[in-house]
Structure formats: structure tokens, C-alpha cells
Amino acid sequence: MSCPLHPKLLFLCLLISLAFFIDPSSQHLEVKKKLMREKVRQMFYHAYDNYMTYAFPHDELKPLTKSFTDSLSELGNLKLEHLPTDYNGSAVTLVESLSSLAILGNSTEFEKGILWLSENLTFDIDARVNLFECNIRVLGGLISAHLLAIDPTNRLIQGSYNNQLLRLAEDLGKRFLPAFETPKGLPYAWINLKNGVMENETTETSTSGCGSLILEMGALSRLTGDPRFESAALRALRQLWRMRSSLDLLGTTLDVVTGEWLEYSSSIGAGVDSFYEYLLKAYILFGKEDYWLMFHSAYLASQKYFRHGHWYHEANMWSGKPTYWQLTSLQAFWPGLQVLAGDVAAANLSHREFFHVWEKFGVLPERYLLDHQIIHPTMKYYPLRPELAESTFYLYQATKDPWYLDVGETIVKSLNMYTKVPGGFASVRDVTTMQLEDHQHSFFLAETCKYLYLLFDDSFVAKKNYIFTTEGHPIQVMSSWHEKLPESYFSGNWTFSKSGAWESQASALSLQVCPSIAPNSRRPEQQRESACHVPDKQIDHRCWTNKECGVDATTCRQRSCSGVGFCGLWNPL
């Protein structure tokens, strides 16, 4: 367009011309993200303020009756034994909320929470608690908040901070250690915080309970200089891995004294889920190659024996044959883990199936029978779980596809429509009737609201690399925590830059960040392949037998040798 010479008209013309270069869809997207961010912020404070009004300093809020429950003793759904009469709770929801308050930029409430905990929280109580739940909720929450507090760039502390949260975490970690005093180092599922393992304590635990302790306890060792915490968690993890079947599958429950499996059904769902998660995230956080090797083998086995189309069923750990054709809501974390591993295409397909079930019922039922396409008759509840929001966040970070923002908006609308009550947010007892239950779990503030907020405002993770624990607590990835490999070491999957120097592994987790957040992640020389990728034996892909062919990076299917001697996806599904 041509512009007149009159100064005022020229200025107006220039403004109009500039508007042609502004993408209206981009403007609309930013407006939408800001609007949704504020809606999630309101959700968080509606839940948090009601907890502080009606439940604090007890552990969790009962939003329908505006009362409280002391869940530190009920983690794992078992009542507290020998509870002191003056026990006022351990403020689990406050501990869990600290990192969310930091992400929302509320330094005042964050600092107030630290001050209260440092003056009032004690673990010297005659209380029997679930080791796994207390580890991910309380120990993880304390460690994450400590790291956020000592980071000067966050500007969360105006007064003085003298590592009070770290001292609490160390005290709690020491109280965990007696649980690991078993013949094989596999920890008891339950521990009395004052008296250790109780007489006639159950010896049954889950794979997650044994194999999902390394992030928090490893971080505690790095921060305190006391190796006992990481050593105990790592010994248990390695022993668990030794117990795998020849198919690289693990069962769901086991006996910590005999080391025998009790439940042979294997899956990516309840009882096993965070085992996979912590193998990969421990590699990202600590840089120890063993974690990657274990994850890689376990991931390949999951693709081979659990995957059916875009779904994942359960299978017998010894035979690999299907056992239960069911979706559990906890499985919705899996697409997010696949993003971290570089399997974005597979993550997208699985995520869409989970979201389809969400749309069908309004929320995600706890268990859905895939073979009958119906909800499990006794597991119709939705306890405000975060896993679908978590995977949505990771997929948006990896793809920047605005469709995932639409998914997040749908989740926010559903939560406000079906679960918001005057006293907070209530769990759904039955997704077919939307009958509510009087419980607002602490993970709603620690995870559900956090991942939804980060979906619409990722400024917290834009400049630093974090891993999030299975309870959503951020721990910064620091090079000082990484094991240093000798310069002569090179994996078969290194990618080389144009100069010839190695820059990153082919897998997305090589840079130890979510792909979208990785610096220079769009440079062509840093293309990443799926975590399930196994290269062909020969560089030119020639072969004599199928054994010389690897696993395809995109589909995770086994490649085969053609009649003319080349590896490829020759066999139909």
C-alpha cells in the first residue's frame, strides 16, 4: 500500500501497515493463554484459601463439610495408630503447595509457609505412615521448596532462610532408613516415624513403593552430603531390577523379606507407573547411565507386551500374555513420560485416547474396561487426579500445537463445572452421576493446578531445566549432580555437529530437558530420535537375518530383513 506524505496521515498509515505483520491467530492465542492462566490461578486459590481457612494445620481439606482430615496417617488409606492427643496434623497440603505458590509468584505466602513449618512441623510422632506416599508428598515437597528458597533468582525469600526445610527433610529421611533393613534392601511399605518398623508389619509392597524413591532420597544425599539416603534407594532399585523376568517385565506387588513376587500382572499403571518414571527422571537428574539402560530395556518391553494400538493393557510378567484389558487413570501420565523420552508421536496418539474418555464422561474414571468399553463397576470415581493435565503440558511444550491448549481449557471447564464447591474442590465419587465425595487431595494443589497453570504460562520453566517428581515437585537439573563420563566414552547414539564434535545423544532426553525447552532445540544437527530406537547392526542397513535389524524410531516396531537383504518395516501390523 502507498502512504501519503502528510506527517499525521503518514504515521497512521505506518500503524496500519504494521498491523499487517501481526499474526491475528498468534494474538488470539496469547489472549487465550492469559485468560486461562488467570482461571487456573483462581482455581488454585479457591482450593488453597479454603484449606487454610477450614483445615490448616491439619493435612487435607474436606470441602463439602468444610472440615479436615489428617492424611499423613491415612496415606495408603490406613488409619493412624497410637496418635498423640495433642497431634494437630503435619500440614501436608501446605508442604505440597509451596512449589505451586512459588510458580504462581506468591513469595509472601511461600515465605509464611516456610516460617510456619520451620517452627511447628515435627516428625517425632508415634505415627505409622506409608513410606512411598510420605516420600513423594512430604520429603519431595520439603526438598523442592528448599531448592526454590535458596535460588536467588526466584526472589522468594525477603528475610533470612537458614536451610530449615532441608533440616526437616534430613530428619524425615533418617526416619525412613529402618524401612530398608531387610535381607535384600527392599523397603517395607509402612514405617513408624518414631519407632521404625513395627512388630508383625506387613511385608507386602508394590513395585512403585520400592522403585520410586531415588529422586527424593538421591537429592537429599546430594544436598546433605550423607550418602545413606541415595545408597538405600539405589540398592532397592537395583534389587528390584534383578527380579525382572526374562522379558524385562516386573510384577505389581512383592514380598520385601523373601524377595518373591506376589502379583504377576505387569503394566504401566497403578503399582508400577512411577517405577518407569523414576528410571528416566533419575537419569535426567543424576546423569547415571545405569538408569537410562534400565529405562530403555523396560520401555522396549512395555511397547512389545502392553501396547495394543494406542492403548496399553496389562500382561503376565513371565509369559507376556495379556491379563487385564483396562485403562486406569494413573496411566495418563505415560504420554508425558514418552515426551521426555522423545517418543512424541506415540505420546500424542495415547494422549488423544485418554482425552476421548475424558470427553465421554466429563472427567477421567479411575478404571475403564477396554474390552467392554465401559467403566469398571466398582471404580467409577475421579479423585481430582493430575495425570492427563500433566501429559497435556508436556505435549504442548514439545509441539506448541494449540490443540493442547484446547484440551487444557476443557479440563479446567470440567473441574469448575463438576467439582468446584463453596468449600474448595471435591473428588467425584461416581463419574456417571457426578456425585461428589468430601475430599480435596493435596495433589490437587501440588499437581493438577500446577500443570494446568504451566500449560498456559511456562515462564517458570522457560529459562531453567527442571524435572518434576511424581508428585509434581520441581527439582532443578544441575550439572554438579551429574556423574562425569570419561572423554573416551561414546555411546552408539551420539549425534555429531557439522564441526565433527559430539553435541547430544539422539534421544530427546540427551539434553535432559523437555524438547521445546532445550536451547537450540530446532537446530537440524540436533535432531532427536525416539527412546525406543535401536539402530540396525550395519550402517548401510544391509542384513542376512532379522537379528541384525533394530527397532524403528517412529513406530517402535521391530524391523526385519527383506528378501534382498535390507532392514525395514516389511511385515504388516
Side-chain angles (χ1 to χ4, degrees):
M1 60 182 295
S2 60
C3 290
L5 297 178
H6 191 282
K8 291 184 178 180
L9 293 178
L10 178 62
F11 178 71
L12 178 61
C13 183
L14 288 173
L15 288 177
I16 296 173
S17 299
L18 183 61
F20 283 100
F21 294 96
I22 299 176
D23 182 1
S25 61
S26 176
Q27 281 185 308
H28 173 73
L29 197 63
E30 291 306 311
V31 170
K32 177 179 179 178
K33 288 169 69 173
K34 289 180 180 179
L35 175 64
M36 294 308 302
R37 177 191 67 189
E38 292 310 307
K39 285 188 177 181
V40 177
R41 184 190 296 272
Q42 291 170 13
M43 287 171 58
F44 174 85
Y45 283 114
H46 180 69
Y48 179 80
D49 291 344
N50 273 287
Y51 162 74
M52 295 301 291
T53 301
Y54 300 110
F56 178 78
H58 295 272
D59 292 347
E60 290 185 329
L61 171 68
K62 299 177 75 173
L64 298 180
T65 56
K66 296 181 179 179
S67 57
F68 60 83
T69 174
D70 283 316
S71 65
L72 177 64
S73 58
E74 298 171 355
L75 300 178
N77 299 316
L78 197 65
K79 295 288 184 182
L80 182 69
E81 298 176 358
H82 312 300
L83 182 65
T85 55
D86 60 348
Y87 178 67
N88 289 320
S90 57
V92 169
T93 295
L94 176 60
V95 175
E96 292 248 74
S97 298
L98 288 177
S99 60
S100 296
L101 288 167
I103 288 173
L104 268 64
N106 192 335
S107 59
T108 302
E109 201 68 22
F110 179 84
E111 191 167 12
K112 281 172 57 180
I114 289 180
L115 182 62
W116 187 92
L117 292 170
S118 62
E119 294 178 349
N120 295 278
L121 183 59
T122 178
F123 299 116
D124 190 28
I125 53 176
D126 187 9
R128 177 176 179 264
V129 299
N130 183 276
L131 176 67
F132 168 75
E133 294 286 357
C134 202
N135 173 71
I136 64 172
R137 296 192 190 197
V138 184
L139 183 60
L142 291 171
I143 289 172
S144 175
H146 165 73
L147 289 168
L148 292 168
I150 63 175
D151 185 345
T153 63
N154 291 325
R155 299 179 180 178
L156 293 168
I157 303 295
Q158 301 303 316
S160 62
Y161 175 70
N162 299 311
N163 299 328
Q164 300 99 307
L165 297 184
L166 180 59
R167 289 197 293 273
L168 284 168
E170 185 175 15
D171 177 41
L172 182 58
K174 289 177 179 177
R175 296 174 188 275
F176 285 172
L177 292 178
F180 294 86
E181 296 173 2
T182 62
K184 298 181 182 295
L186 298 167
Y188 282 92
W190 297 89
I191 185 78
N192 185 291
L193 291 178
K194 191 169 188 175
N195 302 313
V197 178
M198 302 189 65
E199 187 177 358
N200 299 320
E201 182 59 81
T202 177
T203 58
E204 181 176 349
T205 191
S206 67
T207 297
S208 291
C210 282
S212 307
L213 306 167
I214 190 62
L215 291 184
E216 294 84 359
M217 297 189 73
L220 185 58
S221 282
R222 306 300 170 104
L223 290 168
T224 62
D226 187 339
R228 291 181 296 167
F229 311 114
E230 185 172 6
S231 296
L234 181 55
R235 183 189 177 200
L237 181 59
R238 283 176 168 163
Q239 177 58 34
L240 197 62
W241 184 244
R242 292 189 197 102
M243 293 167 57
R244 71 191 187 281
S245 71
S246 60
L247 307 180
D248 286 336
L249 299 177
L250 294 90
T252 304
T253 60
L254 60 143
D255 189 297
V256 299
V257 173
T258 65
E260 299 293 327
W261 290 105
L262 302 177
E263 172 56 62
Y264 300 151
S265 187
S266 185
S267 72
I268 61 168
V272 192
D273 49 358
S274 53
F275 166 76
Y276 295 98
E277 180 182 4
Y278 272 37
L279 286 178
L280 178 54
K281 290 182 177 179
Y283 173 66
I284 295 172
L285 187 61
F286 302 124
K288 192 177 183 66
E289 194 76 4
D290 289 359
Y291 296 127
W292 166 246
L293 296 175
M294 286 188 280
F295 172 78
H296 189 260
S297 297
Y299 185 79
L300 286 175
S302 73
Q303 298 301 303
K304 184 174 183 179
Y305 297 107
F306 302 152
R307 189 174 179 179
H308 181 78
H310 308 324
W311 294 108
Y312 290 82
H313 57 72
E314 299 182 26
N316 184 285
M317 65 176 290
W318 305 112
S319 67
K321 294 182 179 179
T323 52
Y324 303 108
W325 291 82
Q326 58 187 9
L327 167 152
T328 62
S329 61
L330 289 170
Q331 291 178 356
F333 89 101
W334 189 251
L337 188 66
Q338 289 182 303
V339 169
L340 284 182
D343 240 343
V344 178
N348 169 60
L349 294 174
S350 296
H351 175 273
R352 288 175 183 268
E353 297 296 343
F354 282 108
F355 182 57
H356 173 70
V357 176
W358 180 288
E359 286 187 303
K360 183 175 181 178
F361 297 103
V363 293
L364 199 60
E366 186 69 3
R367 190 157 297 190
Y368 184 74
L369 304 179
L370 296 172
D371 46 353
H372 299 292
Q373 295 290 297
I374 59 171
I375 301 175
H376 190 286
T378 63
M379 304 188 78
K380 299 180 179 181
Y381 55 89
Y382 169 67
L384 306 175
R385 290 203 188 278
E387 284 76 16
L388 183 61
E390 175 186 1
S391 289
T392 305
F393 158 68
Y394 279 111
L395 275 160
Y396 180 68
Q397 285 295 313
T399 66
K400 297 303 180 186
D401 185 340
W403 180 80
Y404 294 107
L405 299 178
D406 294 337
V407 173
E409 183 177 10
T410 298
I411 295 174
V412 169
K413 286 181 178 178
S414 294
L415 291 172
N416 280 302
M417 180 183 300
Y418 299 120
T419 72
K420 185 178 180 180
V421 295
F425 285 83
S427 301
V428 178
R429 185 186 297 275
D430 186 338
V431 303
T432 62
T433 63
M434 290 301 171
Q435 177 189 3
L436 297 178
E437 183 176 357
D438 197 12
H439 200 167
Q440 178 183 286
H441 291 273
S442 61
F443 56 69
F444 180 72
L445 289 161
E447 299 182 82
T448 309
C449 290
K450 178 182 289 156
Y451 285 122
L452 287 170
Y453 186 86
L454 288 171
L455 172 64
F456 300 111
D457 184 348
D458 62 2
S459 56
F460 176 77
V461 295
K463 295 181 180 179
K464 293 183 181 179
N465 298 329
Y466 292 93
I467 60 98
F468 291 85
T469 70
T470 196
E471 195 70 6
H473 297 304
I475 299 178
Q476 187 178 348
V477 178
M478 295 176 282
S479 60
S480 59
W481 285 11
H482 278 208
E483 293 192 355
K484 305 301 181 183
L485 296 174
E487 291 183 4
S488 60
Y489 175 86
F490 286 96
S491 167
N493 274 348
W494 289 122
T495 297
F496 290 84
S497 67
K498 294 177 181 178
S499 64
W502 66 267
E503 294 196 353
S504 65
Q505 283 182 322
S507 171
L509 79 160
S510 58
L511 293 185
Q512 296 165 343
V513 288
C514 182
S516 172
I517 304 172
N520 303 321
S521 61
R522 291 178 175 82
R523 289 169 59 181
E525 63 268 26
Q526 290 190 328
Q527 293 298 313
R528 301 179 192 88
E529 293 176 340
S530 156
C532 69
H533 177 239
V534 176
D536 297 330
K537 188 173 182 179
Q538 303 296 332
I539 296 178
D540 61 2
H541 309 292
R542 289 187 175 275
C543 56
W544 289 98
T545 67
N546 290 339
K547 292 182 179 180
E548 297 174 85
C549 299
V551 177
D552 182 67
T554 303
T555 65
C556 293
R557 288 171 52 198
Q558 178 69 49
R559 291 154 64 85
S560 59
C561 191
S562 70
V564 292
F566 284 93
C567 292
L569 294 176
W570 311 119
N571 298 326
L573 284 173

